[in-house]
Every structure is written in structure tokens, then in C-alpha cells.
Amino acid sequence: MSNIKEPVTRDTLLKTVNTFPIIDNHAHNLLNSSASLSCPLEVCFSEARGEALQKSIETSALKRGVRQLAKLYNCEATLESVKCVTDAISYEELCRTCFDPTGIQCLLLDDGLDSLDGLRDVESHVGLVECAKRIVRIEKIAEQTISDLVISFKNSGNENLELKSFQDPFKNQLETLARSDLVVSFKSIAAYRTGLNINCDIDYNLVVRSLAKFILECVGSDGEKPKVVETRLVDKILIDYILNLAIEVAVKYDIPIQLHTGFGDNDLDLLTSNPLHLRKLIEKYPTAKIILLHSSYPYTRQAGYLASVYSNVYVDIGLVFPMISATGQETNLFELLEICPTNKILFSTDGHYLPESFYVATIQVREALGKVLLKAVENEDFTIEEAIKIAKQIMFENSNELYKLNLNPKIISNQEYIGSSARISNLALKELKHKGVKYVRLGWVDFTNMLRFRAVPIDRFIQKTVSSGITLAKCLNTLPVYGDVLVKETDFGPSGEMFMKPDLNTIVHLPYLPAHAFVHISFENKVTPDDVSYPSSSESSPYPVCLRSCLKNIVELARKEFGIDFLVGIESEFLLLRGGNANHQPYQPNAVDNTVYCAAAAYRDFSTIQTIEQILDALQDQNIELEQFHPESAPGQFEIITSPDNPLAAADKVVITRQTIYDVAAKNLLKATFIPKPFRDKEIDQSKKIYDDHHSKLSRKESFFVAGILSHLKAIAALTLPTISSYERAVIGSWTGKWISWGIENRETPIRACYLPREGTKGEMDVNFEIKCVDATANPYLALAAILCAGIDGIRKEMELKMHYCNDDPEYLSPETRAKLGITEQLPDSLADSLAELKKDEDLIKSIGNDIIKNYIALKEGELKFFKNLSKDKIYEILLERF
């Protein structure tokens, strides 16, 4: 198969921004475990201290940061709830939880920030990241040198001072550090001490006098001979002198020097931290590599200007993430990109003390960078290709080159963060228990699309089930829709068990049942002495007839073999029926209303709108994003559309969506049903047919994908239209698509191509495909697996899409016109016919898995045999009760 180069799109840009690794070119050491206990979380979001820090809870920066941490910890979005979670776990676990999702590959740490005791050393950060290097704060080295000099003077009684008694040891120490493999840069905080209007014409006589005065003040007159002297340089003459000297050493050893510029805490004069004050210094040392830290905020344009006119000036964008608002961050980046060369912009977190500061800064810069670069592309400042290059430069490449790190970027993948996800999920479990959850439902969707679960007390779940799972008889995944009996034609009888292993990434609190949580499971083999692998292996392995694992494997195959990722959106259509079950009578189709499509009258019944609102609220409480909802065409019918996600997540979410709709409706004494075509005499108004005249602009892979689905559609129907009632809906005029065809915005073709303007571009369009011959009685994992397998088969074989798109209802075209379009076949008329087509489709069977399809066919044929002697009303009664 030939390699097909995928077009570079806005999605490619966003994927780069979110998966490319980061070199954090300026941060500070984490605190050790005990020291972290005395550090308030608020310091991550504000430069304020003391009482002013307490007021920072009302800033947009802190409020936004708390929401982002709450999402990470899966807790309520309040400062108190976030702190409750962090208090419940070990500090090391907290550090891993925060660092793993960031994609930070390397940390450059200024270890001179010592306002709190108990900093971890630089090397101890390795493990959280691939590598960690040191940034040397020159004022710290100077103060230590002076401290040693003070002790020497006090012990010797010598009152004569020569400049070299300070200069030589200070310079020697800097040179030793510059030669160290651990050190990659110097740094100065002159802006904090005396401002950036640095004197470049050093008067050494003044330096000696200032040094002597400072030493004498430190020596004092008490006669005591100290071993340690605390000093803090605030003398402008000395600060300017040591900065000039440090730059000379940096130039000699070709290492950069970072300068604090712009905002900081109240120890700084903001007026004198404007980087424009540095022009004389920059010009004096044209070969010095000078990094202006913190975007020089609020002097960002000035910093960008300096970097644009001086070859040796670079700009770091740290500290504004996460210290200012999202709007401010985006504005800051826009201002920098107005004039600053993109190969001179460096990312940093300015993370300090607590791991949360690193996490929040990193996710915020990815978010802001994506938005800003997309807007720049839209404004035609850059092409998409250029924007992708810029993202890589800012996040990784510029720092890698400037600091000579020689690192190879390690792209972030989902697999790298399984450990992180597990730790985050453990936090979620503790938070769920704190919220009052007593029981966890371990749920799966069986072959007939029935949701089943087993419940476990939450303490047992945390202590045992998370690691070991629970056992289940294999036959319980292939029970027929009409009852809990074994279908002998399947492979599963009374013997044999499998493990139910919870996927902690999917655990949710059920808001309408506060004592319950729900988690999706995957099945794994349970090894026994009868297995061929025993005793060489007693470990569990993936279960070949696990439908959830099947879908997951297909998605991974598409990504690895073709570099394709899918987004799946699912529309949930359901009916609300009245009719009590107090006397245990079966529900009758007594709809809550008799309205039509999108009719406002559907919301005039208080009990109905109350139920709908409770459903919508509960879905959002379970982190299911809603796009829209509306009344549908049938009496009492509604549709909820949830946002697209990757196929596995989309299937998981639709299971939660349906469970929520069933349960909330029941709490309101209503019956929710997803059964297709519940009112057999109801037809769609033919005036609703849509005739659009677009031109198809499918890429090669998209056309292969559509061709693959069309070629397998008759067999797919056995899995997407899996009940007898499915075929009462899949008829002419019902917008499910009876003729095997595809169209653009055509609701009477089984495959509907839908176009939308592409964000961040002018005139370009995105396409998605709606598969209409699917109903809610289908198992979502199996239905999606079939559709994706068919499409992937088309890509693998490079199937030519010979069929032309159809913008009319194929039923009303002449046979000659249909033939010209390539429309020659209809979907099967019954489940039996669909199963017969599935049996013949060897490629689809092989792709999904022979064991799965073999047992599915046996199960469905067993159901058809059972239903054969029942009336339509009795069949409908069973299906209505189940779905």
C-alpha cells in the first residue's frame, strides 16, 4: 500500500500543541514533603504575600487554576475541595499526578529561591521529568562569597580590603559552575534588588568602597567570631559590578544569562524592571546570550522589540502562566508575536514550591498557544505549517538549542500516561467516598445491548476490586434479549469464568443516586489449570469476546497502521411514556405528548420538562458535554446530542447517557424507551426531505473510508439494526436510508456527508459522516467496531468510491438514474437477511473477531427462533421492556 500524505490542518496544529514535549527553561525547585505542608496553594497563582495573598482568591487567575486542578483531581471546583484532595494523598503521589500529564521533558531550575526552607535538590526532580539542569543565581553566589569574606575578616582582624579578595573567589566559583555538566545558565535578579538601569562603566574604586562598607556593616563590633553570616546584597554599585563580571564569565564559557524583568512580588520596583533599561548592557556584551524572563510583563512589546533588534536577546514567556487571566495570556502572546522572531521565544512555567504550579502553567500555555496560533493563521500572519513549526520552537526546540541540551523530543501519547491516569483515578475514588458514595457499579453492555452491572461497596472496591477485579460467568455476556437463558448454539455454557476489570478513567458519580458510582469494565481471561498457558502463566489476558476491548483495539490499529484518529458523536433518541407499573403490568406506548418535530408544545407539560431538565443536569454533572436537545418527530420523542469524542469514550458516554435517561425517567414515574419505530403507523412528513447541491471534496482516505462502509453495509446492518423492530424503522421515507448510497446533507441515504466551515481558516471546510442505519438497540461498542472496521478495510484496500453522491431520495429516482449514480442495492429487509449477509462477509468477520461474530450470530438466530411463535404485540412488549 502506498503512503498517503495527510493534509496539514488546524487539527494537526492543535495536536502538535497538545502532544509536543516541553522544555521548561525557567522554574524553581519543589519543596520536600514536610516543607510543602506549610506552603499555601494560593502561591501558585499570585505574587502577593501575607494578607494580600489571602485576597488573591478573588482573582481570575486563581479561580481558573482551581477549576483546572479540580478537573485533574475529579473533585468539586472549589479551593477547599482541591486542598481536601491534596491532603488525602502522599506528596510524592501528588507530584507524579501533576507532572505526568504535562509533557515536561526537561526542567531548568533556579535553586536560589529560598524564601522557604526545605527545597529538593535539582537532581531529585529526575523521575518526574527525563532530565533536570541547574540555573545559577549570581546574587546567591556573591552573597556566599561575601559571607565567607566577612568571617575571614572577623577571625583575622585584618581591616585592609583589596577587590581581588572578593573578585577572585567569586569569579572562580562562577567559572567552576559554568564548567559543570549540571549548570546550563546564570541568572540575575538585579531587577528585584536595585533595578535594571545597570551601570556598564564600572568604577572599581567605588566598588571597593561599597564592598568595604558592606563588609564592615556585616562584621559589626561585638567581637564574636561567627561561622556563618547571612548577607543580602542591595547595594546598586555592587549589584551592577557582579552582573558585569558574571556576564563576562558567561560569554567566556558560552552559556546564557537570564534576567528577571517585569512584574514580581512587592519587593520589586516595577518602573525599573522595564527591559528597555538594559540597552547599554546588551550593547556592551553583543555576544552574551541574554534571556528576558517573564515576558517582561507588562512590558511585553518592549521585550519583543529588544529581541527583534538585538541578535543576542531572547524572551521567556513564563510567570504570566498562570499568574494572569486567560485573556491576558493570549494578549501577551499576540503582542510578543507582533515583532519578536519566533526562534527567540522560550517557554517556562516559573513553577515553584508546589507541583500544581507546574501543571496549571503547562496546560494553560498549551491552550493559549493553540488559540493564538490558530488566530494568527486565520489572520494570514502564518501558514498552518509555519504555526506548527512555531509551536515546536517555543515549547522545545529554541531552549534545546540555546542551552545545548541535545535532547530528542518525546511526543506525548496516551500510553505514556496510563500510570498518571491510575493515580488520578485513585484520587477520584477518595473524593467519591468523601461525597458519600457507598457503592460502585461495575457495568458492561452485553451482546444484546443490555446494560448490566454488579455493585461493590466502595471500601471493598478500593481495597480489592481495583487491583483484582471480580469474576463473572462467561455465558452472562451472551444472554438473549427475551430472558436469562443460555442459547446452546453459542460457545458458552454453565462453565467458565472471566474477570471484570474496572477502567478507573471512566468512573462517575451518579448524581441522581448519590450513594452510587458507575465504572465501565473490560473483560479479561481467568486462567485455570485447563488452559494451555497454565502453569507457565497464571496472569490474566485480554478476553477475545470483550466488545469494549474489541473497539479499543480497532481504534489503536487505525492509529498505528494509518495514522488516523476518529471522532464520534452520538445522537440519543428516546421516548417518554406514561403508564404506571404499580400492578406490575407491562408498559403500553402511552406517550407524554403527541407533538411533532421541535414543537414548543412538547415543553408545556411541567412533568415532562422537569424530567428533561433533570436528565440534562445529571448528564452534565457526569462530565458529558451537551451540544443540543429537542423534541423529535414521534409522540413523546426527544433527542439529546452529546459532543464528539474518540470512539471508545463516545461509546462509554452513550452508555452513561442511556442509563441516566432510563433512571431519571423512572424517578419521575415515566418509562424511557429507545426502541425504534414504536408507533408503526407514524410516517415522517415527506416535506422534510432536504435537497442540497454541494460538491464533494473528500480526501483520498475519506473516500476510501466511505467506499469501505458501503461495501460492507449489508453485513454491518446485522450489528447496527439488531432487533426485529429495527427493520420497521429502516424503511423508505424514515430517514434511515433504505437504498445503499451516500449523499451530501441527504437524510435519505445511509451515509450522510455533513460539511461545516473549518475554524481558523477562510473558505476551508471540515466533513463528518453520519451513519443513519443505526438504532439505539445496537451495542455501541459492536456497532462502532463494525463501522470502523469496514472503513479501515476501504483504506487498506484503497477502495475506489465509484458510487456518486446522491442529493435526492433514491426511492423516487428512476432505475436508470440510480444506476448511473451506482445505486443498485437496498439494505436487508429483516434481521435474518442481515445475519445471512454477515455470515458471508469474511473480511468483516476477521476484522472484528471470529469469536465475537460467531457467538453474536448464534445468539441472534436463537432470538429469532424464540420470537417465531410469538405475536408482534408480544415481541414488542418484550423489546419495550428491555429497551
Side-chain angles (χ1 to χ4, degrees):
M1 174 178 174
S2 61
N3 291 322
I4 302 171
K5 185 177 180 180
E6 286 293 286
V8 179
T9 66
R10 62 181 298 276
D11 292 329
T12 314
L13 170 58
L14 291 177
K15 184 175 181 181
T16 301
V17 169
N18 288 306
T19 62
F20 210 72
I22 280 174
I23 293 174
D24 186 349
N25 101 108
H26 179 265
H28 303 277
N29 303 45
L30 288 166
L31 293 169
N32 60 37
S33 179
S34 58
S36 69
L37 298 175
S38 60
C39 185
L41 185 63
E42 291 88 337
V43 302
C44 298
F45 310 105
S46 175
E47 285 287 289
R49 296 295 181 264
E51 185 176 346
L53 181 61
Q54 299 307 311
K55 302 292 185 181
S56 70
I57 60 174
E58 296 302 325
T59 63
S60 62
L62 187 138
K63 292 176 183 294
R64 180 182 176 214
V66 165
R67 289 194 299 272
Q68 290 166 331
L69 288 174
K71 189 173 182 180
L72 173 69
Y73 297 147
N74 196 22
C75 68
E76 188 178 348
T78 65
L79 185 60
E80 293 72 22
S81 295
V82 169
K83 288 182 176 181
C84 182
V85 173
T86 60
D87 289 344
I89 61 174
S90 72
Y91 184 63
E92 286 305 311
E93 184 178 359
L94 184 66
C95 289
R96 292 193 301 272
T97 298
C98 289
F99 267 88
D100 281 355
T102 64
I104 296 174
Q105 189 169 333
C106 180
L107 286 173
L108 309 187
L109 298 170
D110 165 19
D111 57 0
L113 182 64
D114 58 355
S115 55
L116 290 178
D117 292 330
L119 294 179
R120 295 170 58 156
D121 60 43
V122 171
E123 292 92 334
S124 69
H125 293 75
V126 176
L128 295 176
V129 295
E130 179 185 330
C131 73
K133 298 292 185 179
R134 183 184 177 192
I135 298 166
V136 173
R137 186 179 293 201
I138 63 169
E139 289 81 7
K140 196 76 177 173
I141 304 302
E143 288 165 350
Q144 183 58 54
T145 304
I146 291 175
S147 177
D148 294 341
L149 198 57
V150 168
I151 295 171
S152 174
F153 265 67
K154 203 158 192 177
N155 290 337
S156 67
N158 184 4
E159 297 184 1
N160 295 320
L161 176 67
E162 295 181 5
L163 183 56
K164 67 176 184 177
S165 60
F166 166 78
Q167 180 175 287
D168 290 352
F170 175 63
K171 187 176 180 180
N172 289 339
Q173 179 70 357
L174 289 181
E175 291 187 339
T176 300
L177 291 166
R179 291 192 295 268
S180 168
D181 291 337
L182 184 63
V183 173
V184 292
S185 180
F186 291 161
K187 176 191 173 181
S188 171
I189 56 168
Y192 268 104
R193 300 296 175 85
T194 55
L196 294 179
N197 49 341
I198 307 297
N199 183 5
C200 296
D201 298 320
I202 303 299
D203 185 330
Y204 292 99
N205 291 324
L206 290 178
V207 173
V208 172
R209 291 176 196 167
S210 293
L211 185 61
K213 179 182 177 183
F214 187 68
I215 289 175
L216 287 174
E217 289 173 352
C218 293
V219 169
S221 58
D222 56 8
E224 184 181 353
K225 296 182 179 181
K227 294 182 180 180
V228 178
V229 174
E230 293 295 331
T231 59
R232 185 174 188 272
L233 272 177
V234 290
D235 184 287
K236 178 169 172 50
I237 294 174
L238 293 179
I239 292 290
D240 293 353
Y241 165 65
I242 66 169
L243 178 54
N244 278 267
L245 187 57
I247 292 176
E248 291 173 3
V249 175
V251 169
K252 178 180 178 180
Y253 290 93
D254 193 26
I255 66 171
I257 183 162
Q258 301 178 348
L259 301 178
H260 181 106
T261 60
F263 73 139
D265 61 38
N266 60 6
D267 197 28
L268 173 144
D269 184 344
L270 190 59
L271 292 176
T272 60
S273 66
N274 188 326
L276 290 179
H277 289 298
L278 294 168
R279 291 190 65 171
K280 288 185 178 179
L281 189 74
I282 294 168
E283 291 171 356
K284 180 180 179 181
Y285 300 103
T287 59
K289 298 171 183 175
I290 296 173
I291 298 112
L292 307 179
L293 293 175
H294 314 320
S295 285
S296 302
Y297 180 84
Y299 305 112
T300 304
R301 282 193 169 107
Q302 289 85 339
Y305 162 73
L306 291 173
S308 73
V309 296
Y310 293 110
S311 62
N312 60 328
V313 176
Y314 301 78
V315 183
D316 154 81
I317 60 171
L319 196 59
V320 293
F321 304 94
M323 294 288 185
I324 67 175
S325 69
T327 302
Q329 291 167 354
E330 291 168 29
T331 301
N332 188 265
L333 283 175
F334 275 122
E335 290 181 352
L336 201 54
L337 289 171
E338 287 173 356
I339 193 170
C340 185
T342 60
N343 62 348
K344 301 176 93 177
I345 303 174
L346 314 170
F347 168 73
S348 77
T349 62
D350 197 54
H352 55 286
Y353 295 154
L354 299 177
E356 289 92 343
S357 63
F358 292 84
Y359 172 77
V360 175
T362 304
I363 62 169
Q364 288 184 4
V365 79
R366 290 189 190 276
E367 180 181 317
L369 191 58
K371 289 180 179 179
V372 167
L373 289 177
L374 280 176
K375 187 66 175 177
V377 170
E378 182 180 343
N379 293 341
E380 299 184 353
D381 290 327
F382 306 113
T383 65
I384 283 282
E385 291 82 0
E386 288 168 341
I388 290 171
K389 178 182 178 181
I390 292 166
K392 293 178 179 179
Q393 286 176 326
I394 293 174
M395 293 192 293
F396 188 93
E397 292 173 353
N398 292 344
S399 290
N400 197 33
E401 180 179 352
L402 181 63
Y403 298 104
K404 302 176 185 176
L405 297 172
N406 300 317
L407 296 173
N408 294 316
K410 294 187 176 179
I411 306 302
I412 303 168
S413 70
N414 292 334
Q415 291 301 314
E416 290 181 38
Y417 296 112
I418 291 175
S420 170
S421 299
R423 284 190 290 275
I424 293 169
S425 298
N426 284 329
L427 295 176
L429 290 176
K430 293 173 182 177
E431 179 64 16
L432 287 174
K433 186 176 179 181
H434 179 71
K435 287 182 177 179
V437 170
K438 298 178 180 178
Y439 310 102
V440 180
R441 301 178 176 189
L442 286 78
W444 78 99
V445 181
D446 69 12
F447 271 55
T448 66
N449 192 38
M450 188 178 299
L451 175 63
R452 301 175 184 265
F453 70 82
R454 285 188 171 182
V456 177
I458 191 165
D459 287 334
R460 172 76 177 179
F461 182 80
I462 294 172
Q463 296 163 10
K464 184 72 175 177
T465 310
V466 167
S467 57
S468 301
I470 57 177
T471 58
L472 185 77
K474 291 181 178 180
C475 60
L476 296 181
N477 196 32
T478 52
L479 297 176
V481 70
Y482 55 81
D484 288 346
V485 296
L486 302 184
V487 176
K488 64 181 181 180
E489 289 82 5
T490 68
D491 289 339
F492 306 109
S495 63
E497 287 189 328
M498 52 191 173
F499 282 117
M500 299 169 61
K501 290 293 185 72
D503 181 349
L504 295 185
N505 295 309
T506 68
I507 195 163
V508 293
H509 185 206
L510 303 183
Y512 51 86
L513 290 172
H516 290 250
F518 179 91
V519 65
H520 290 280
I521 63 96
S522 293
F523 291 121
E524 292 184 2
N525 273 320
K526 181 183 177 186
V527 178
T528 70
D530 288 336
D531 292 302
V532 293
S533 61
Y534 183 87
S536 61
S537 174
S538 60
E539 296 294 323
S540 59
S541 58
Y543 183 57
V545 193
C546 175
L547 303 183
R548 191 168 181 270
S549 297
C550 170
L551 176 58
K552 182 178 180 180
N553 293 338
I554 290 165
V555 172
E556 286 299 315
L557 180 146
R559 181 180 295 119
K560 291 178 180 178
E561 188 170 343
F562 303 105
I564 297 173
D565 289 302
F566 297 99
L567 278 178
V568 174
I570 298 178
E571 301 172 354
S572 296
E573 294 182 0
F574 62 97
L575 289 94
L576 292 177
L577 307 177
R578 300 190 194 280
N581 61 343
N583 298 319
H584 303 286
Q585 297 297 317
Y587 289 102
Q588 298 300 317
N590 178 21
V592 295
D593 61 51
N594 193 32
T595 62
V596 292
Y597 182 79
C598 284
Y603 294 113
R604 291 176 185 150
D605 182 276
F606 175 77
S607 63
T608 301
I609 188 61
Q610 182 182 49
T611 301
I612 295 294
E613 287 178 351
Q614 289 175 12
I615 289 169
L616 298 174
D617 290 344
L619 290 175
Q620 292 177 96
D621 287 344
Q622 294 169 94
N623 296 318
I624 294 178
E625 186 178 350
L626 304 178
E627 290 198 344
Q628 56 178 287
F629 64 96
H630 58 82
E632 259 294 346
S633 295
Q637 189 177 38
F638 299 87
E639 178 177 296
I640 294 175
I641 303 174
T642 53
S643 294
D645 211 325
N646 70 75
L648 184 63
D652 287 343
K653 287 178 180 178
V654 79
V655 172
I656 296 294
T657 299
R658 292 173 185 172
Q659 174 181 236
T660 301
I661 292 169
Y662 281 134
D663 291 350
V664 173
K667 286 189 71 173
N668 287 277
L669 302 181
L670 297 174
K671 164 71 176 177
T673 179
F674 289 84
I675 190 172
K677 205 66 175 175
F679 305 102
R680 292 192 291 274
D681 58 342
K682 178 80 174 175
E683 297 295 339
I684 291 180
D685 184 350
Q686 293 300 305
S687 66
K688 291 180 181 174
K689 290 185 293 184
I690 293 178
Y691 301 98
D692 289 328
D693 188 17
H694 298 302
H695 294 290
S696 172
K697 295 182 180 179
L698 301 185
S699 70
R700 292 190 69 198
K701 282 188 179 178
E702 288 165 349
S703 67
F704 297 157
F705 188 81
V706 171
I709 294 176
L710 290 170
S711 71
H712 293 284
L713 201 55
K714 289 194 286 186
I716 290 172
L719 304 166
T720 60
L721 302 171
T723 60
I724 291 174
S725 64
S726 299
Y727 294 83
E728 295 188 17
R729 172 177 173 267
V731 295
I732 300 296
S734 291
W735 284 11
T736 57
K738 181 66 174 175
W739 286 93
I740 295 176
S741 55
W742 75 285
I744 297 174
E745 308 294 359
N746 187 349
R747 288 169 169 80
E748 274 295 355
T749 55
I751 301 177
R752 172 183 170 231
C754 312
Y755 285 90
L756 287 171
R758 179 176 298 164
E759 291 183 26
T761 66
K762 292 183 178 180
E764 296 183 39
M765 304 189 81
D766 282 323
V767 63
N768 59 69
F769 301 99
E770 180 183 11
I771 312 300
K772 300 190 68 64
C773 51
V774 185
D775 68 46
T777 62
N779 181 297
Y781 303 100
L782 194 50
L784 283 174
I787 293 166
L788 297 184
C789 279
I792 291 168
D793 189 47
I795 294 171
R796 182 181 287 113
K797 296 175 180 176
E798 297 190 357
M799 290 185 187
E800 182 181 353
L801 183 57
K802 296 179 180 179
M803 185 184 294
H804 294 276
Y805 62 83
C806 176
N807 281 347
D808 300 293
D809 186 341
E811 176 66 16
Y812 298 104
L813 299 176
S814 67
E816 294 78 14
T817 302
R818 282 198 298 266
K820 286 182 180 178
L821 294 173
I823 303 172
T824 58
E825 296 181 290
Q826 292 187 343
L827 288 173
D829 292 325
S830 67
L831 178 58
D833 292 343
S834 293
L835 291 170
E837 294 292 341
L838 180 58
K839 288 179 181 179
K840 295 187 294 185
D841 198 326
E842 295 180 358
D843 287 342
L844 191 63
I845 292 172
K846 181 180 178 181
S847 296
I848 297 174
N850 183 69
D851 290 339
I852 290 175
I853 298 302
K854 173 186 174 184
N855 285 282
Y856 179 83
I857 291 173
L859 178 63
K860 286 298 173 181
E861 288 182 339
E863 288 181 357
L864 290 175
K865 184 177 180 181
F866 178 84
F867 286 141
K868 186 175 182 180
N869 298 319
L870 300 182
S871 67
K872 279 192 174 181
D873 286 343
K874 184 61 178 176
I875 294 171
Y876 180 82
E877 179 183 313
I878 292 172
L879 294 177
L880 184 63
E881 185 64 30
R882 293 291 184 264
F883 301 109

